Structure formats: structure tokens, C-alpha cells
Amino acid sequence: MYQAVFGPLLRRTHRAVVELAALRAGERVLDIGCGTGSLAIALKASVGPTGPVHGIDASPEMIEVARRAASKAGVDANFQVGLAEAIPFPDGASTWS
């Protein structure tokens, strides 16, 4: 239901975010509050197969939606339950892949 109502608006917004991010192949992405994973999935195209993409969200249900969406799109992205207040990755951008 969420995707049906908000999907078209989010896809337009995602295009703008992807352009503004100006990511290069191999860069890392962490989408905090990833929800359905649609932005993380869109960003994966910019970083290519060598750029890891991770998404965290407080809702286990949203993480499942994101995992299914990535699988359906054939996108290699990792989604896990996590909070912005306690990011489940070590400090330092070069330490996670």
C-alpha cells in the first residue's frame, strides 16, 4: 500500500538524491532509516558491483520489504534492523564493506 501511494513521488525524489550524491564506482553507502530500501537500491547503480550498499531501519517489517525489493530487482544490498542512535557498524568509513 505504501509503495502504491508514495512510490511515484519517492522515485522522483530518489533520482534527485542520486544525482546530488554524485557517487562513484566503489564508494560505500549507508542509508539510515531506509524504510522499503528504494533509495538504497537506486544508489547501488551508482556505486556498481564493488560499492557496498547497506540500509538500516528500526522496523523489522520494513527491512523484510527492503530485502524482498532488492532481491526482486537483482540488487546486491544488505538490509538490517538498526537505529540511527546506535548504528551497527564500526566508526570509520573505511572499516565496513
Side-chain angles (χ1 to χ4, degrees):
M1 178 74 160
Y2 179 87
Q3 288 287 17
V5 174
F6 295 105
L9 173 64
L10 290 174
R11 281 187 289 280
R12 283 196 311 269
T13 303
H14 291 352
R15 280 192 294 270
V17 171
V18 169
E19 287 178 24
L20 289 170
L23 295 169
R24 295 180 307 239
E27 290 189 300
R28 291 178 287 277
V29 173
L30 175 57
D31 183 358
I32 299 170
C34 66
T36 64
S38 57
L39 178 58
I41 291 167
L43 290 167
K44 180 62 178 172
S46 296
V47 298
T50 61
V53 172
H54 298 272
I56 64 170
D57 197 277
S59 168
E61 294 82 9
M62 286 290 100
I63 291 301
E64 285 305 313
V65 169
R67 288 175 178 159
R68 283 194 304 272
S71 178
K72 183 177 177 182
V75 171
D76 181 21
N78 175 277
F79 296 99
Q80 64 188 70
V81 175
L83 302 173
E85 298 86 356
I87 295 173
F89 295 96
D91 289 342
S94 65
T95 60
W96 55 275
S97 60

